């Protein structure tokens, strides 16, 4: 098989696409669906920028064949805001200056979203463990941890 | 049409191991097996692998297991993720060293996507899991159409990213002997940052024989084309009490062992790596002694 008809629920919307088996999830999201918030950094699974949620779990979209996640729910950074209302984590990132160039931000946000779902009041170390492997080359790590801490406190 | 990083290939999702074996047989060397996909997709991106067919194991439910009865071997199916080992209560309780080792690997995402068997089949000499599992005497269960064989993990790799797997073969599971009450294992590694690839690693298994060292296995990773055992150091320790001076001498023998021939690369130079073999062997053995004393105290 070289092409498969796939159904994905992307950011809450069901999408049916004819997908080549060699297409990466990041490629389908960026090219076929125009979701430019999916950022590919290293392309080798080292930097975490391309992270998306598959059935709620952070997964590296640059290292996933799109056809292997057919039938699943996929959330990209575009799916975090509710209309024009930003997600509390996004608000907190802005508030704390937790982004400079913004390239790592979608991955940071989505991995943090998952963390707060399973651990609503994380310690700084919990946040660092969850975000290990998400590289910020502007090296703004402290502010990112601050932002996630504040978002968690705000939700309590 | 959009640009795609990977070349075209036929894609198969067999539902049973037998089906996968048949596909493997018909495609031979043209086929690549995919479990989590992390290393396969990387090697396809670089062009190191150009399979005509990718055979995904992801739909074979019978490979998604961790069978952990303390009295018996720990059996890890080909689809068990590194994360699932880390999260398994039984593994945490009886094979804690594997949990500690799993946490040395990449990010949460990598551990969630990557499988234990996939990590071993990738065949990198820097594999954290392979280093400790070789020390623990793990064995690979290899299947092909109509046949099954067992290969000690120690003999599984013949070079970097080269394994003994023949055309049509795949690994169904890895088996790890039970530690029981008398064996103690330790894993220590050095890496630039926690999620980075290991620069040097040491896995140790010691069987406590009336307060002295019974059987002992010391595996060293990332210092040769394959993970190696430092047998001179092992021989020195056998039958001895693990005193600080004995440990020091064993560590020195490990560093000087001819099998330890590290390379210089972007992460470290060969001299440093060699030096660190001594330091890490010493740390791992000291940790084992602490664990033995801890167990004795209970």
């Amino acid at each position: 098989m070289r092409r498969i008809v796939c159904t994905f629920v992307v950011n809450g919307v069901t999408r049916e696409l004819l997908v080549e088996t060699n297409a990466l999830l990041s490629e389908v999201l960026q090219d076929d669906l125009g979701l430019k918030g999916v950022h590919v950094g290293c392309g080798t699974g080292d930097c975490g920028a391309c992270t998306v949620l598959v059935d709620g779990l952070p997964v590296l979209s640059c290292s996933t064949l799109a056809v292997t996640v057919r039938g699943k729910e996929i959330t990209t950074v575009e799916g975090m805001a509710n209309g024009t209302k930003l997600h509390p984590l996004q608000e907190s990132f802005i508030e704390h200056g937790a982004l400079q160039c913004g390239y790592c931000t979608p991955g940071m946000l989505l991995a943090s979203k998952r963390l707060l779902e399973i651990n609503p009041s994380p310690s700084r170390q919990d946040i660092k463990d969850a975000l290990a492997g998400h590289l910020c080359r502007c090296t703004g790590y402290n502010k990112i941890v601050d932002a996630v801490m504040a978002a968690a406190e705000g939700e309590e | 049409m959009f640009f795609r990083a990977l070349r075209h290939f036929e894609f198969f999702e067999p539902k049973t191991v037998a089906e996968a074996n048949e596909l493997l047989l018909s495609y031979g060397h043209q086929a690549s097996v995919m479990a989590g996909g992390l290393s396969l997709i990387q090697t396809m991106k670089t062009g190191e692998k150009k399979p005509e067919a990718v055979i995904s194991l992801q739909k074979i439910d019978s490979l998604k297991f961790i069978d952990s009865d303390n009295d018996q071997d720990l059996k890890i199916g080909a689809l068990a993720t590194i994360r699932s080992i880390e999260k398994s209560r039984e593994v945490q309780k009886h094979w804690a060293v594997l949990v500690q080792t799993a946490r040395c690997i990449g990010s949460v995402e990598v551990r969630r996507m990557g499988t234990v068997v996939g990590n071993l089949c990738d065949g990198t000499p820097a594999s954290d899991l392979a280093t400790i599992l070789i020390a623990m005497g793990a064995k690979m269960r290899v299947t092909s159409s109509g046949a099954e064989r067992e290969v000690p993990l120690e003999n599984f790799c013949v070079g970097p990213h080269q394994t003994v797997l023949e055309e049509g073969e795949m690994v169904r599971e890895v088996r790890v002997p039970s530690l029981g009450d008398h064996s103690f294992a330790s894993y220590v590694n050095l890496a630039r940052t926690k999620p980075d690839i290991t620069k040097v690693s040491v896995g140790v298994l010691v069987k406590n024989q009336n307060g002295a060292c019974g059987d002992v296995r010391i595996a060293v990773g990332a210092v040769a084309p394959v993970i190696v055992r430092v047998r001179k150091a092992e021989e020195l320790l056998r039958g001895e009490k693990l005193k600080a001076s004995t440990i020091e001498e064993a560590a020195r023998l490990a560093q000087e062992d001819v099998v330890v021939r590290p390379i210089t690369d972007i992460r470290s130079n060969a001299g440093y790596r060699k030096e660190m073999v001594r330091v890490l062997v010493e740390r791992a053995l000291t940790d084992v002694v602490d664990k033995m004393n801890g167990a004795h105290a209970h």
Side-chain angles (χ1 to χ4, degrees):
Chain A
M1 255 184 305
R2 293 200 166 199
R3 280 196 187 83
I4 299 176
V5 178
C6 298
T7 306
F8 306 100
V9 182
V10 182
N11 297 329
V13 181
T14 304
R15 310 294 297 256
E16 199 179 66
L17 299 168
L18 185 62
V19 180
E20 305 108 304
T21 53
N22 63 328
L24 299 168
L25 179 57
S26 56
E27 293 172 336
V28 169
L29 293 171
Q30 289 176 330
D31 301 336
D32 301 52
L33 298 176
L35 296 167
K36 304 296 183 188
V38 179
H39 292 175
V40 175
C42 64
T44 56
D46 292 295
C47 80
C50 68
T51 299
V52 300
L53 302 181
V54 174
D55 284 349
L57 300 175
V59 157
L60 303 171
S61 64
C62 80
S63 300
T64 303
L65 295 182
V67 293
T68 61
V69 294
R70 61 190 190 272
K72 299 195 190 254
E73 264 183 50
I74 293 154
T75 308
T76 68
V77 72
E78 288 89 345
M80 280 186 79
N82 185 359
T84 55
K85 194 178 176 326
L86 293 179
H87 187 279
L89 272 165
Q90 292 174 308
E91 292 286 3
S92 189
F93 268 56
I94 295 169
E95 180 84 6
H96 290 83
L99 62 157
Q100 290 178 52
C101 82
Y103 204 80
C104 70
T105 311
M108 294 283 184
L109 282 168
L110 290 163
S112 304
K113 180 173 184 286
R114 162 69 182 167
L115 171 70
L116 296 190
E117 278 162 12
I118 54 165
N119 182 358
S121 39
S123 65
R124 289 186 78 86
Q125 189 58 47
D126 292 339
I127 297 170
K128 287 181 189 172
D129 288 342
L131 297 182
H134 287 261
L135 305 186
C136 167
R137 293 299 76 181
C138 310
T139 68
Y141 295 107
N142 279 329
K143 292 186 172 191
I144 292 168
V145 177
D146 291 345
V148 180
M149 280 297 273
E153 281 156 14
E155 275 174 11
E156 268 174 28
Chain B
M1 289 296 284
F2 298 108
F3 169 78
R4 300 299 190 209
L6 305 182
R7 294 155 48 109
H8 281 285
F9 49 79
E10 299 291 329
F11 184 69
F12 297 99
E13 291 180 313
K15 300 263 187 334
T16 64
V17 174
E19 240 177 275
N21 280 333
E22 259 168 53
L23 281 164
L24 268 172
L25 196 64
S26 58
Y27 277 92
H29 282 312
Q30 305 297 320
S32 287
V33 174
M34 182 173 94
L38 277 176
S39 53
L40 177 64
I41 289 172
Q42 288 346 306
T43 50
M44 284 166 68
K45 278 185 187 174
T46 60
E48 282 163 73
K49 282 194 181 167
K50 297 170 184 160
E52 285 293 314
V54 170
I55 301 169
S56 165
L57 305 182
Q58 289 178 5
K59 300 278 185 221
I60 307 179
D61 290 337
S62 67
L63 293 176
K64 285 177 196 161
F65 65 90
I66 303 170
D67 201 346
S68 53
D69 202 338
N70 184 33
D71 305 331
Q72 293 167 13
D73 291 358
L74 168 66
K75 296 176 191 132
I76 302 170
L79 283 181
T81 62
I82 299 169
R83 186 80 172 151
S84 68
I85 292 293
E86 198 185 331
K87 292 276 176 191
S88 155
R89 288 276 152 86
E90 289 298 303
V91 178
Q92 285 170 5
K93 205 166 149 197
H94 303 297
W95 286 275
V97 69
L98 292 184
V99 176
Q100 181 215 328
T101 307
R103 290 192 178 137
C104 297
I105 299 170
S107 58
V108 175
E109 288 85 352
V110 165
R111 302 200 291 272
R112 178 178 295 120
M113 296 167 71
T115 63
V116 174
V117 169
N119 178 286
L120 302 177
C121 286
D122 176 52
T124 165
S127 165
D128 302 276
L129 282 168
T131 306
I132 186 64
L133 287 173
I134 284 173
M136 293 171 87
K139 295 185 178 81
M140 301 288 254
R141 298 288 298 186
V142 176
T143 73
S144 55
S145 266
E148 188 143 337
R149 64 176 176 134
E150 196 166 76
V151 181
L153 183 58
E154 194 181 338
N155 306 333
F156 185 71
C157 284
V158 290
H161 306 287
Q162 290 172 312
T163 70
V164 298
L165 287 181
E166 284 168 20
E167 227 173 85
E169 285 188 324
M170 59 169 252
V171 177
R172 174 204 286 275
E173 66 184 47
V174 57
R175 293 190 179 186
V176 191
S178 160
L179 286 171
D181 295 332
H182 302 292
S183 291
F184 297 86
S186 179
Y187 177 74
V188 286
N189 77 329
L190 280 183
R192 193 172 160 273
T193 62
K194 217 168 177 215
D196 196 21
I197 296 169
T198 284
K199 298 200 276 199
V200 187
S201 64
V202 170
V204 167
L205 178 87
V206 172
K207 190 161 188 194
N208 183 357
Q209 216 161 48
N210 308 320
C213 181
D215 196 21
V216 53
R217 299 162 64 96
I218 305 174
V220 186
V223 296
V226 296
I227 297 166
V228 291
R229 275 177 67 188
V230 283
R231 293 176 196 272
K232 283 196 184 115
E234 292 178 2
E235 273 162 37
L236 175 89
L237 293 171
R238 228 164 259 135
E240 295 293 318
K241 286 226 188 299
L242 292 177
K243 291 182 299 190
S245 57
T246 317
I247 289 176
E248 227 172 86
E249 176 63 8
R252 196 186 56 76
L253 283 179
Q255 176 185 350
E256 286 165 9
D257 200 309
V258 289
V259 297
V260 174
R261 43 196 174 101
I263 56 166
T264 293
D265 67 7
I266 52 167
R267 289 187 172 78
S268 275
N269 63 47
Y272 176 77
R273 282 194 162 103
K274 218 167 156 66
E275 191 77 18
M276 286 307 109
V277 169
R278 179 175 52 76
V279 173
L280 296 192
V281 167
E282 196 173 326
R283 281 185 197 165
L285 286 168
T286 309
D287 180 46
V288 159
V289 171
D290 289 345
K291 284 177 179 163
M292 278 164 130
N293 293 339
H296 192 66
H298 287 300

